[in-house]
Amino acid sequence: MTSKHRDANDQATTASPIPRWLSACIVGGTFLTLALLERRRPLRRPIEPGLPRTGRNLAMATIGSIAVALAETPIVTRAAAMVERRRWGLVKRLRLPPWLEVCAAVVLMDYSLYLWHVLTHRVPALWRFHAVHHIDLDLDASTAVRFHFGELALSTPWRVAQIVTIGTSPLALSIWQTALLASILFHHSNLELPFEIERRLSRTIVTPRMHGIHHSVLRREMDSNWSSGLSVWDRLHRTLRLNVPQMDITIGVSGFQSVSDVGLARMLALPFDPEVRLAAGDEDLPARQDPGVPATFLVP
Ligand SMILES: [Zn+2]
């Protein structure tokens, strides 16, 4: 690499992250737009309609945001700055043009989040926290921000490992975080997109019908569609399942199917309650009829 190239590389990769106000506008605007559209074109019938559920989810989001501000942001911001200064990580070794280095880091962050999502279902201690997100009886944009603060805090070491291994710059980190939040709001939303448009979108990104299948109480359906941004990771790992009719899906976690099971105080305490047994998906329910199309075909 010539010194000119190296200078250009350094300049671009040390570019400032997206301003927080801009990121907040993108994420807030996405949330409000989806919240409006969901009312006009709902995809699934609500089980627990009304403000109490939305208020509960937003309360979980507020507590989660405090955990992120205290436990994650200061550490991951420093990790990205250090990686940039010392030129650590995979993408720094590839000597890519600056714009491609940022793109590669964002894509690899998306892939390594797929792996983390699998772990949150497979490792019992992590599942106790991630189950709080799945226990919601409905699925909409407010579910996207309903994570237990413990899960958010526990993900910090994984996030640092992602950044250091990949070589994620502060700019790439801010792009990934903003895109991820917009993506999870979108694919948790209860928005009925025109079917043909969603079918095409699901070839590239995670969509509401695709992620709805991951929130099924049935284990074989919950153990699919782990991707958070690009859908390619589920295709690569053969964990893609699109052929489940939305109206047949029961959203939630086995054993938590009543509104009294999903209150705010209960959700906050649940991971720490040794009395609670959490199934990782219900295997006792009857099998579905063969949909007659391969798992990679989206059905309405
Ligand atoms: Zn999950």
mmCIF file of all heavy atoms in Angstrom, residues 117 120-121 127 130 133-134 211 214-215 222 226, ligand 1:
data_model
loop_
_atom_site.group_PDB
_atom_site.id
_atom_site.type_symbol
_atom_site.label_atom_id
_atom_site.label_comp_id
_atom_site.label_asym_id
_atom_site.label_seq_id
_atom_site.Cartn_x
_atom_site.Cartn_y
_atom_site.Cartn_z
ATOM 1 N N HIS A 117 -27.193 -14.329 19.148
ATOM 2 C CA HIS A 117 -28.620 -14.639 19.298
ATOM 3 C C HIS A 117 -28.810 -16.153 19.490
ATOM 4 O O HIS A 117 -29.608 -16.581 20.323
ATOM 5 C CB HIS A 117 -29.389 -14.141 18.065
ATOM 6 C CG HIS A 117 -30.880 -14.182 18.237
ATOM 7 N ND1 HIS A 117 -31.751 -13.852 17.238
ATOM 8 C CD2 HIS A 117 -31.662 -14.543 19.303
ATOM 9 C CE1 HIS A 117 -32.989 -13.992 17.681
ATOM 10 N NE2 HIS A 117 -32.970 -14.414 18.922
ATOM 11 N N THR A 120 -27.982 -16.972 23.053
ATOM 12 C CA THR A 120 -28.987 -16.560 24.046
ATOM 13 C C THR A 120 -30.135 -17.570 24.144
ATOM 14 O O THR A 120 -30.862 -17.589 25.132
ATOM 15 C CB THR A 120 -29.585 -15.151 23.742
ATOM 16 O OG1 THR A 120 -30.224 -15.187 22.473
ATOM 17 C CG2 THR A 120 -28.538 -14.067 23.801
ATOM 18 N N HIS A 121 -30.299 -18.389 23.107
ATOM 19 C CA HIS A 121 -31.312 -19.447 23.175
ATOM 20 C C HIS A 121 -30.719 -20.760 23.668
ATOM 21 O O HIS A 121 -31.416 -21.556 24.280
ATOM 22 C CB HIS A 121 -31.937 -19.670 21.790
ATOM 23 C CG HIS A 121 -32.968 -18.644 21.437
ATOM 24 N ND1 HIS A 121 -34.321 -18.887 21.497
ATOM 25 C CD2 HIS A 121 -32.840 -17.352 21.042
ATOM 26 C CE1 HIS A 121 -34.983 -17.789 21.136
ATOM 27 N NE2 HIS A 121 -34.106 -16.848 20.844
ATOM 28 N N TRP A 127 -30.597 -17.768 28.231
ATOM 29 C CA TRP A 127 -32.012 -17.899 27.832
ATOM 30 C C TRP A 127 -32.938 -17.322 28.898
ATOM 31 O O TRP A 127 -33.971 -16.723 28.584
ATOM 32 C CB TRP A 127 -32.333 -19.361 27.525
ATOM 33 C CG TRP A 127 -33.808 -19.629 27.359
ATOM 34 C CD1 TRP A 127 -34.570 -20.476 28.109
ATOM 35 C CD2 TRP A 127 -34.703 -19.049 26.389
ATOM 36 N NE1 TRP A 127 -35.877 -20.444 27.676
ATOM 37 C CE2 TRP A 127 -35.992 -19.577 26.620
ATOM 38 C CE3 TRP A 127 -34.534 -18.129 25.361
ATOM 39 C CZ2 TRP A 127 -37.108 -19.225 25.867
ATOM 40 C CZ3 TRP A 127 -35.654 -17.761 24.602
ATOM 41 C CH2 TRP A 127 -36.911 -18.313 24.851
ATOM 42 N N HIS A 130 -33.032 -13.728 27.882
ATOM 43 C CA HIS A 130 -33.585 -13.472 26.543
ATOM 44 C C HIS A 130 -35.069 -13.869 26.478
ATOM 45 O O HIS A 130 -35.839 -13.283 25.705
ATOM 46 C CB HIS A 130 -32.771 -14.244 25.494
ATOM 47 C CG HIS A 130 -33.169 -13.934 24.079
ATOM 48 N ND1 HIS A 130 -33.132 -12.658 23.554
ATOM 49 C CD2 HIS A 130 -33.644 -14.726 23.073
ATOM 50 C CE1 HIS A 130 -33.552 -12.687 22.296
ATOM 51 N NE2 HIS A 130 -33.874 -13.930 21.983
ATOM 52 N N HIS A 133 -37.720 -11.184 26.577
ATOM 53 C CA HIS A 133 -38.077 -10.558 25.289
ATOM 54 C C HIS A 133 -39.128 -11.403 24.562
ATOM 55 O O HIS A 133 -40.062 -10.862 23.965
ATOM 56 C CB HIS A 133 -36.799 -10.425 24.452
ATOM 57 C CG HIS A 133 -37.027 -10.041 23.020
ATOM 58 N ND1 HIS A 133 -37.549 -8.821 22.657
ATOM 59 C CD2 HIS A 133 -36.806 -10.716 21.863
ATOM 60 C CE1 HIS A 133 -37.643 -8.760 21.332
ATOM 61 N NE2 HIS A 133 -37.205 -9.895 20.826
ATOM 62 N N HIS A 134 -39.003 -12.726 24.649
ATOM 63 C CA HIS A 134 -39.912 -13.624 23.922
ATOM 64 C C HIS A 134 -41.260 -13.794 24.602
ATOM 65 O O HIS A 134 -42.211 -14.260 23.973
ATOM 66 C CB HIS A 134 -39.254 -15.004 23.761
ATOM 67 C CG HIS A 134 -38.351 -15.092 22.575
ATOM 68 N ND1 HIS A 134 -38.761 -15.573 21.356
ATOM 69 C CD2 HIS A 134 -37.054 -14.731 22.419
ATOM 70 C CE1 HIS A 134 -37.747 -15.527 20.501
ATOM 71 N NE2 HIS A 134 -36.697 -15.013 21.124
ATOM 72 N N HIS A 211 -39.595 -12.882 11.143
ATOM 73 C CA HIS A 211 -39.229 -12.858 12.559
ATOM 74 C C HIS A 211 -40.385 -13.325 13.443
ATOM 75 O O HIS A 211 -40.159 -13.851 14.534
ATOM 76 C CB HIS A 211 -38.750 -11.468 12.982
ATOM 77 C CG HIS A 211 -37.968 -11.502 14.253
ATOM 78 N ND1 HIS A 211 -36.714 -12.090 14.354
ATOM 79 C CD2 HIS A 211 -38.273 -11.074 15.511
ATOM 80 C CE1 HIS A 211 -36.284 -12.003 15.598
ATOM 81 N NE2 HIS A 211 -37.211 -11.396 16.323
ATOM 82 N N HIS A 214 -39.893 -16.791 14.427
ATOM 83 C CA HIS A 214 -38.920 -16.986 15.516
ATOM 84 C C HIS A 214 -39.572 -16.777 16.892
ATOM 85 O O HIS A 214 -39.103 -17.324 17.889
ATOM 86 C CB HIS A 214 -37.738 -16.025 15.332
ATOM 87 C CG HIS A 214 -36.772 -16.054 16.465
ATOM 88 N ND1 HIS A 214 -35.991 -17.167 16.747
ATOM 89 C CD2 HIS A 214 -36.479 -15.145 17.439
ATOM 90 C CE1 HIS A 214 -35.261 -16.930 17.820
ATOM 91 N NE2 HIS A 214 -35.541 -15.713 18.260
ATOM 92 N N HIS A 215 -40.645 -16.001 16.957
ATOM 93 C CA HIS A 215 -41.314 -15.753 18.246
ATOM 94 C C HIS A 215 -42.419 -16.756 18.546
ATOM 95 O O HIS A 215 -43.196 -16.572 19.480
ATOM 96 C CB HIS A 215 -41.862 -14.318 18.299
ATOM 97 C CG HIS A 215 -40.826 -13.315 18.734
ATOM 98 N ND1 HIS A 215 -40.748 -12.797 20.009
ATOM 99 C CD2 HIS A 215 -39.799 -12.760 18.048
ATOM 100 C CE1 HIS A 215 -39.732 -11.961 20.091
ATOM 101 N NE2 HIS A 215 -39.137 -11.903 18.919
ATOM 102 N N MET A 222 -39.136 -21.532 16.889
ATOM 103 C CA MET A 222 -38.288 -20.574 17.619
ATOM 104 C C MET A 222 -36.814 -20.777 17.267
ATOM 105 O O MET A 222 -36.037 -19.824 17.219
ATOM 106 C CB MET A 222 -38.506 -20.766 19.129
ATOM 107 C CG MET A 222 -37.893 -19.675 19.981
ATOM 108 S SD MET A 222 -38.075 -20.015 21.734
ATOM 109 C CE MET A 222 -39.712 -19.390 22.056
ATOM 110 N N TRP A 226 -32.714 -16.630 13.133
ATOM 111 C CA TRP A 226 -31.980 -15.945 14.199
ATOM 112 C C TRP A 226 -31.388 -14.609 13.724
ATOM 113 O O TRP A 226 -30.916 -13.827 14.530
ATOM 114 C CB TRP A 226 -30.799 -16.784 14.694
ATOM 115 C CG TRP A 226 -31.041 -18.231 14.953
ATOM 116 C CD1 TRP A 226 -30.881 -19.239 14.068
ATOM 117 C CD2 TRP A 226 -31.430 -18.842 16.189
ATOM 118 N NE1 TRP A 226 -31.158 -20.446 14.670
ATOM 119 C CE2 TRP A 226 -31.488 -20.232 15.978
ATOM 120 C CE3 TRP A 226 -31.715 -18.342 17.464
ATOM 121 C CZ2 TRP A 226 -31.829 -21.122 16.975
ATOM 122 C CZ3 TRP A 226 -32.052 -19.237 18.457
ATOM 123 C CH2 TRP A 226 -32.113 -20.606 18.203
HETATM 124 ZN ZN ZN B 1 -34.709 -14.876 20.136
#
